[in-house]
Amino acid sequence: MTSTNKHILLGVAGGIAAYKSAVLVRLLRKRGAEVKVVMTSSALQFICPLTFQALSGHAVHTELLDAETENAMGHISLARWADVLLIAPATANFIAKCSHGLADDLLSTLYLAASCPVYIAPAMNQAMWGKPATQENITKLKAHGVYMIGPEAGDQACGETGLGRMAEPEAICGHLDSYFYDAGELVATFGQCLQGRKVLISAGPTREPLDPVRYLTNRSSGKMGYALVRAALDAGAEVTLISGPVSLTAPDQAEVVHVETAAQMYAAVMSMAPRHDIYIGAAAVADYSPVVAETRKIKKHDAQTTLILQKTQDILADVAALAARPFTVGFAAETHDLDAYAQTKLKQKNLDMIAANWVGGEQGGFDSGQNALQVFWCSDGGVGQKTLPMTDKSYLAKQLIQLISERYPKQS
Ligand code: PMT
């Protein structure tokens, strides 16, 4: 029951799934959490505030400008009260408002004012969920560090079937439990653990052109690297991101250099590395690139053809070989013998730390929102290690940043 004594601000937007939020309040209260409820005006059409008041033990908030609230800044004090803002259900319209920064009612204003983690449990018709506009909004919110819970697939209130049902209250509680459990392991000083440090992070895939229309690449989405950028910023660092081609939005506070090929990433990282305290190589850099990139589209002739590839320069190894080297953290992406390959890379590339992850399976690694890491570092002639279990990449990134901050001063 890791949600015990936690302050959960539950935002209820106007969807039929609002009735499930009443069960959610009961379950959260049973876990010992304190729950305050905010409803949008459309939510009031679906469920009566008295239900939430009775279940939560607190008056329900519905108005942005509430004359009865002390000093009329109720949204700020509510936002500061919350350990977590949970919006369940979140409708397509409400998600769009958050994604665009609109603040025309209490709940959307609270979203903007919140400095705590935000969890959103979307609920809507399956076609609305599938619309590019909704998906773009979801992608944007995830890039801003919002955690999504669901939606789930199944029968919908409208009679259709598909993805869009709000996650079940038990599942939502499980997400919060694991967040609070994990957060208990982060040091209270996380917000300053890299204060004043300059951190360089590479993220995403590279593209190695074969001709003007084709390239070799890999499945990296950039999520792990971008999560590290956010975590390093949260830890007080100045962050430079060298990003391969991805569809994510980098946080405004980071300096970003966009590159496409391994050679471009090499040049960008090598020129910046000496000015940074820490380098984290989370990018999935091509190990090989075509010897020749044809200037005209390769035509289809023979039944088989051969590509001649040459090794790319190893960015990580060359950063670690710099005279004024930053604390150098590599990643290892493996389909087998994870620990052995990671430790070999740690030593052969002369790294300070390596974070190893499984790839090619169903969970974690490439493109997933979650991941797990096995982290190794050199310690007193031996190798230290820590397991960071499967969790959201954003929280995983914070754990890795904390580990780096604990090791970093020992090396400097
Ligand atoms: O982007 P996501 O979809 O979120 O997926 C995350 C991830 C799986 C890509 C990430 O967690 C990860 O594992 N990144 C490293 C992928 C990789 O290239 O691993 P590797 O074992 O092939 O390379 C080892 C290290 O050498 C990596 O730090 C890599 O950045 C670096 N390298 C590799 C080749 C090269 N020419 N230069 C390098 O610096």
Side-chain angles (χ1 to χ4, degrees):
M1 295 293 174
T2 47
S3 299
T4 311
N5 296 328
K6 295 294 186 282
H7 289 179
I8 295 168
L9 189 55
L10 173 65
V12 182
I16 181 63
Y19 78 91
K20 287 191 192 175
S21 304
V23 180
L24 186 55
V25 175
R26 278 204 65 209
L27 293 177
L28 289 168
R29 292 289 314 272
K30 267 174 101 176
R31 282 166 155 76
E34 206 177 327
V35 184
K36 290 189 179 176
V37 179
V38 175
M39 297 176 75
T40 64
S41 55
S42 346
L44 295 171
Q45 311 287 319
F46 286 93
I47 185 163
C48 163
L50 207 57
T51 307
F52 287 117
Q53 181 171 331
L55 291 171
S56 69
H58 289 287
V60 172
H61 302 265
T62 55
E63 299 299 326
L64 177 57
L65 302 172
D66 185 351
E68 288 190 6
T69 314
E70 194 187 354
N71 68 21
M73 295 298 275
H75 58 288
I76 300 295
S77 51
L78 266 178
R80 297 296 163 262
W81 172 86
D83 293 317
V84 156
L85 171 61
L86 166 65
I87 301 166
T91 57
N93 179 59
F94 190 78
I95 287 168
K97 285 201 324 191
C98 293
S99 145
H100 289 84
L102 295 183
D104 60 356
D105 63 7
L106 178 59
L107 189 53
S108 53
T109 306
L110 273 169
Y111 169 75
L112 277 190
S115 49
C116 59
V118 179
Y119 280 75
I120 285 185
M124 66 196 75
N125 166 270
Q126 49 84 25
M128 293 168 78
W129 173 254
K131 270 284 180 313
T134 305
Q135 288 306 310
E136 280 163 22
N137 289 332
I138 294 285
T139 304
K140 201 161 146 193
L141 289 178
K142 283 185 181 172
H144 293 170
V146 172
Y147 299 94
M148 292 292 157
I149 306 176
E152 291 173 358
D155 293 341
Q156 301 201 295
C158 54
E160 295 181 10
T161 304
L163 203 57
R165 284 167 58 99
M166 187 173 101
E168 291 305 319
E170 273 288 2
I172 295 176
C173 288
H175 278 268
L176 295 189
D177 276 350
S178 78
Y179 164 74
F180 287 124
Y181 172 80
D182 291 342
E185 293 195 346
L186 272 186
V187 292
T189 54
F190 180 80
Q192 297 91 47
C193 71
L194 286 183
Q195 195 70 47
R197 301 295 182 199
K198 291 192 166 73
V199 179
L200 179 63
I201 297 174
S202 71
T206 61
R207 286 179 183 168
E208 310 306 317
L210 288 163
D211 69 13
V213 294
R214 304 180 179 101
Y215 50 78
L216 298 177
T217 191
N218 59 63
R219 296 180 189 277
S220 169
S221 63
K223 286 178 187 165
M224 190 70 242
Y226 276 57
L228 284 162
V229 169
R230 274 189 300 278
L233 286 167
D234 288 351
E238 271 180 48
V239 182
T240 310
L241 165 66
I242 312 291
S243 178
V246 296
S247 55
L248 302 175
T249 310
D252 291 341
Q253 307 95 306
E255 183 187 340
V256 188
V257 179
H258 292 282
V259 297
E260 196 154 313
T261 64
Q264 289 167 357
M265 189 169 275
Y266 182 90
V269 171
M270 293 308 288
S271 74
M272 301 237 174
R275 282 182 273 136
H276 287 79
D277 302 304
I278 295 167
Y279 171 62
I280 308 174
V285 188
D287 289 324
Y288 290 91
S289 70
V291 171
V292 177
E294 300 294 345
T295 52
R296 293 172 163 211
K297 184 181 172 199
I298 299 167
K299 301 307 288 178
K300 184 169 61 174
H301 294 300
D302 304 329
Q304 292 190 341
T305 189
T306 305
L307 290 176
I308 304 181
L309 306 175
Q310 65 191 355
K311 251 189 184 169
T312 56
Q313 286 171 290
D314 194 311
I315 306 168
L316 195 58
D318 285 2
V319 168
L322 287 170
R325 65 180 257 165
F327 184 89
T328 308
V329 182
F331 268 73
E334 309 292 349
T335 54
H336 57 285
D337 297 332
L338 182 75
D339 291 10
Y341 279 125
Q343 291 189 47
T344 304
K345 285 176 185 171
L346 176 73
K347 286 180 188 147
Q348 277 179 354
K349 300 193 186 196
N350 191 27
L351 309 176
D352 295 301
M353 189 180 270
I354 193 156
N357 46 194
W358 292 103
V359 288
E362 285 188 356
Q363 262 206 320
F366 287 121
D367 200 22
S368 160
Q370 295 200 320
N371 201 10
L373 293 173
Q374 192 65 34
V375 188
F376 300 95
W377 59 89
C378 297
S379 164
D380 302 328
V383 174
Q385 64 174 294
K386 181 159 184 171
T387 304
L388 303 180
M390 185 66 69
T391 185
D392 281 350
K393 281 183 178 168
S394 48
Y395 180 62
L396 188 67
K398 285 195 170 179
Q399 290 174 294
L400 182 59
I401 288 293
Q402 181 177 304
L403 204 52
I404 292 170
S405 76
E406 287 164 8
R407 296 295 312 156
Y408 170 74
K410 296 193 174 67
Q411 308 288 325
S412 57

